[in-house]
Amino acid sequence: MIKNNFFHKKISLYLCFLVFCLFAYTQEENNCFRFIDSADVYIDYNSEKALSFLEAIPKPIEENIPGRVADYYYLKALIYDDYKEFASYHQCVILAIKYAEKENNFCVAGEACIGLFSNLYYTKQDVSVYKYLDKARAYYAKCDFEYGNIEVTEVEAYAKFLDGDYKACNNLLLNELDTYKNINEDPYYYMFALYMLFFKLYLFK
């Protein structure tokens, strides 16, 4: 009877220890997720602070932020873009797309493809990178971002605008202008479309 009680106590202690380890692991994982969320909060106005949160995530990041590795690399890409470190930006965007596909994070994959197109096309004027806009459309079709397709269209219109192909730019914008106007959550779409349209009118008046 004494031996039996001792055995049960050992099992109880072992189970308590196991529960504690699982709790500690979950807390550590959640802390790492909070680093991603905090970096996302700061990304638009304090890149240095955002980077400090990302660098606080222990390595290997794949083990510490499972399911959010694409977010990590895309946020890092935005920081490198802000720092004008374009080689590092390019590397992180490619990794963001790679992990977004693995994690079925199609919204991030779409954003990363648009970023990659913008970075390569606006600096090199290479028409071969239009494939990334096609990929962005395909990714956005799989995610819940309702403005994905028109965002791709506006980016394409801006490329035509920079090329001086104003007719093509107009066609792309005018087909979606009412849609841009009705996006109350983010008036930037409509504002940017109007900028491109009215700039051309001002240019040729």
Side-chain angles (χ1 to χ4, degrees):
M1 189 69 176
I2 294 174
K3 287 183 179 180
N4 195 34
N5 286 339
F6 178 72
F7 175 76
H8 284 301
K9 285 181 180 180
K10 285 182 71 176
I11 292 295
S12 297
L13 287 171
Y14 175 77
L15 289 174
C16 287
F17 178 73
L18 181 62
V19 169
F20 174 78
C21 288
L22 288 172
F23 176 77
Y25 173 79
T26 302
Q27 288 298 104
E28 183 178 353
E29 184 180 85
N30 288 340
N31 281 334
C32 291
F33 285 164
R34 284 199 289 272
F35 289 141
I36 294 287
D37 294 333
S38 296
D40 193 27
V41 169
Y42 281 95
I43 195 70
D44 288 331
Y45 59 92
N46 192 331
S47 293
E48 185 176 351
K49 186 76 171 177
L51 183 60
S52 70
F53 283 115
L54 295 179
E55 290 181 339
I57 299 171
K59 304 293 188 298
I61 60 166
E62 291 86 351
E63 294 180 9
N64 288 293
I65 50 170
R68 302 202 62 185
V69 180
D71 292 328
Y72 169 88
Y73 279 115
Y74 186 61
L75 288 169
K76 253 198 166 176
L78 295 177
I79 292 167
Y80 285 130
D81 186 48
D82 192 38
Y83 290 163
K84 302 191 185 309
E85 296 179 16
F86 297 121
S88 297
Y89 169 86
H90 184 88
Q91 181 183 24
C92 283
V93 168
I94 294 296
L95 287 170
I97 295 171
K98 171 186 171 181
Y99 282 100
E101 289 177 346
K102 289 182 178 180
E103 298 168 354
N104 292 329
N105 193 345
F106 299 117
C107 285
V108 165
E111 289 181 48
C113 282
I114 287 179
L116 192 55
F117 168 83
S118 301
N119 183 263
L120 293 174
Y121 187 75
Y122 301 156
T123 56
K124 298 182 179 179
Q125 298 289 294
D126 183 357
V127 295
S128 69
V129 300
Y130 270 94
K131 64 185 178 184
Y132 292 113
L133 288 187
D134 294 333
K135 287 184 176 182
R137 284 193 179 93
Y139 286 133
Y140 278 140
K142 297 179 182 179
C143 82
D144 59 357
F145 180 43
E146 61 180 309
Y147 306 129
N149 191 55
I150 60 172
E151 182 171 305
V152 175
T153 301
E154 193 163 58
V155 170
E156 184 177 1
Y158 186 53
K160 300 297 184 185
F161 176 85
L162 293 179
D163 290 342
D165 189 352
Y166 301 122
K167 182 178 180 181
C169 177
N170 275 352
N171 289 337
L172 288 166
L173 293 174
L174 292 174
N175 286 336
E176 298 286 357
L177 195 59
D178 287 339
T179 306
Y180 295 140
K181 185 177 181 179
N182 292 325
I183 302 176
N184 296 321
E185 299 90 340
D186 191 348
Y188 175 80
Y189 290 110
Y190 188 50
M191 179 190 72
F192 189 44
L194 290 179
Y195 160 77
M196 285 187 276
L197 290 168
F198 283 110
F199 182 84
K200 292 190 291 291
L201 290 175
Y202 172 79
L203 193 64
F204 295 112
K205 70 178 182 177

